Amino acid sequence: MTDTKKSIHGEWSSRFAFILAATGSAVGLGNIWKFPYIAGENGGGAFVIVYLLCVVLIGIPIMMAETLLGRRSRQNPINTMKALAEEAGADKNWHYLGWMGVIAGFLILSYYSVIAGWASAYVFKDFTGSFFDADASEIKGLFDSFIASPVQLIFWHSLFMLATMVVVARGVNSGIEKAVRFLMPSLFVMLVLLVAYAMTTGSYDEGIEFLFMPDFSKLTGDSVLTAMGHAFFTLSLGMGAIMIYGSYLPKDVSISKTVFLIAGTDTVVALLAGIAIFPIVFASGQEPSAGPGLIFQTLPIAFGSMTGGWLFGLLFFVMLVFAALSSSISLIEPAVAWLVENKDMNRKQACIWSGSVTWLLGFGTIFSFNVWSEFKVFDRTIFQLLDYLTANLMLPIGGFCIAVFAGWIMTQQHTEQELNMPSPRNYQAWKILICYVAPAAVFLVFLNVIGVL
Ligand code: TRP
């Protein structure tokens, strides 16, 4: 592998462009929609601490590993695993890891797009004044009747998938970079303003206490797994998204600094969302464990009652849709890059193929909330099953394998050269995390869930 090698899809114009794109991938529905609702379902504080520990001890080292793998090979995740396994003289079966990632991306995007569709619909609902002066039960009624309608959900899901396909078809430099550039800062500011609103609800302390006061008796093996799975999900790890973005990263950029920045931003955004939402949950007499509808049942109350709430709500949901879009493009990019590199398609054809498959798969999630809501496998609806299978199983397994590959299969010389850390001490710390801490932690959590521990 030569130092001058570049991806055939092009390269980020700068380190900043990579940071924007990778942060765009990381920050999304996972932070604003999923984190608050799973924290609510799993009892709050203790869950949040486990999640934070997983980000630091497992997520950050694996994010560095994924980035360095991609940058070293400059290809899609499947070819990356093949090429790097060859370079290290290892088994060629490693490329199945790339395959699992591509499949996980499809499965995640199939439900991600449905939820992003909800956010898009809420832009429209805000616009038409649906939240104006509405109380908690009206807002909940609005949400319940919305998800009961397959036709509406299909419409918004289709629209969002189409938007994803159009952006991805335009390619790394023109499409992805531009889409992300102005979104992140705006979303951040809006969240800070929402936190300020939460302070006026009278239940701010209660919300903070729920989110940060750990009660470890509320932790179960499954909630620990969910917290760990979410660390992977929220950082976009374990399926090759960060790997493919790393493959467009110029050689001279410091991977470690960049990764710290991305993971830090992602975590702050999730915590801000939690701090904004739980006070509203308590002030309006709702349950933290309301499930996937949580933000749709709480935030509109704020928008309906605060001055300027109409415009604010409108902007907020628009930002949320864009945050979801900058994540969804990273879910489909590994598949698109593979189709382009290996199947001789152009980007447009590749987007149409992979987008259509995901779009169809999305119907499973749509029907989980209405016509098939009683259809359960392992006591879960299709949506819950997809979520569990991807976030709790495939991503941690993928991450585990990436850690083992970067720590044990690749030569020290190669990883050291890619990471190019300022001091050997930092490299050693990463090495310990990636060789021992991260894989062992994932392994122990799995053992715990299957009841061996
Ligand atoms: N991280 C995104 C979020 O929090 C979702 C996402 C984008 C993702 N790309 C991914 C999750 C790759 C897992 C793997 O909303």
Side-chain angles (χ1 to χ4, degrees), residues 118 121-122 125 131 135-153 286 289-298 300 366-371 373:
W118 296 2
Y122 268 59
K125 285 188 196 300
F131 311 144
D135 63 19
S137 72
E138 284 164 332
I139 296 284
K140 185 169 181 329
L142 197 75
F143 177 74
D144 289 341
S145 68
F146 170 62
I147 61 166
S149 157
V151 178
Q152 288 196 49
L153 300 197
Q286 300 193 58
S289 58
L294 189 67
I295 66 162
F296 298 97
Q297 294 171 18
T298 49
I366 290 179
F367 296 147
S368 301
F369 293 101
N370 37 66
V371 285
S373 61

Side-chain angles (χ1 to χ4, degrees), residues 65 68-69 401-411 415 430-431 434:
L68 86 84
L69 258 60
C401 296
I402 289 167
V404 168
F405 190 85
W408 296 94
I409 307 286
M410 283 179 81
T411 62
T415 49
W430 174 78
K431 193 82 186 178
I434 206 76

Side-chain angles (χ1 to χ4, degrees), residues 106 109 161 164 168 328-337 351 354-355 358:
F106 274 119
L109 185 54
M161 262 326 292
T164 303
V168 177
S328 67
I329 53 189
S330 77
L331 283 162
I332 205 172
E333 178 67 17
V336 168
C351 285
S354 38
T358 328

